[in-house]
Amino acid sequence: MSERLFRIILGLSLLVFLAVDIPELVYAYIGMLMFEGITNWRIPILVSKARYGDKYMEAVNACSGVKLNFEAERMLRFLVAVLLVLSYILFNEML
């Protein structure tokens, strides 16, 4: 599973959760994004690692020459989670 496909699935599921008004699933979504943002354990990487094993990790390690252990994708997930929490707390009546 690629990061792009995973983001599309997450975005569509969030729209459905908000349209159907299922706050428990929105909170689970926020929790998952916070977990991924804090730990940097991305679900697509975990799924690919489970499917392909060591071959996938060799390809990932060959491409990683990053000095800092913080990515823009990680910050994006964390920022989306924070904005969802703020909007759900501050503007719950309007939603």
Side-chain angles (χ1 to χ4, degrees):
M1 176 184 299
S2 69
E3 289 280 341
R4 182 178 293 168
L5 177 64
F6 185 66
R7 277 186 266 149
I8 290 171
I9 291 170
L10 283 180
L12 291 175
S13 63
L14 177 64
L15 289 175
V16 169
F17 298 158
L18 290 173
V20 180
D21 193 27
I22 307 173
E24 294 83 15
L25 291 177
V26 174
Y27 291 133
Y29 180 89
I30 292 169
M32 183 187 65
L33 284 175
M34 291 292 266
F35 175 76
E36 283 187 343
I38 292 170
T39 63
N40 204 23
W41 289 355
R42 297 189 305 243
I43 296 200
I45 290 177
L46 294 175
V47 169
S48 296
K49 185 178 176 184
R51 283 182 72 187
Y52 303 115
D54 292 334
K55 293 178 186 177
Y56 178 76
M57 289 312 294
E58 289 172 4
V60 169
N61 289 334
C63 296
S64 65
V66 180
K67 293 181 182 179
L68 297 175
N69 195 14
F70 198 79
E71 302 170 347
E73 183 74 28
R74 183 177 178 187
M75 187 62 195
L76 177 68
R77 288 190 303 270
F78 191 69
L79 184 64
V80 167
V82 167
L83 290 176
L84 282 172
V85 166
L86 288 177
S87 65
Y88 239 59
I89 290 173
L90 296 177
F91 304 110
N92 195 13
E93 296 84 24
M94 290 181 178
L95 293 175

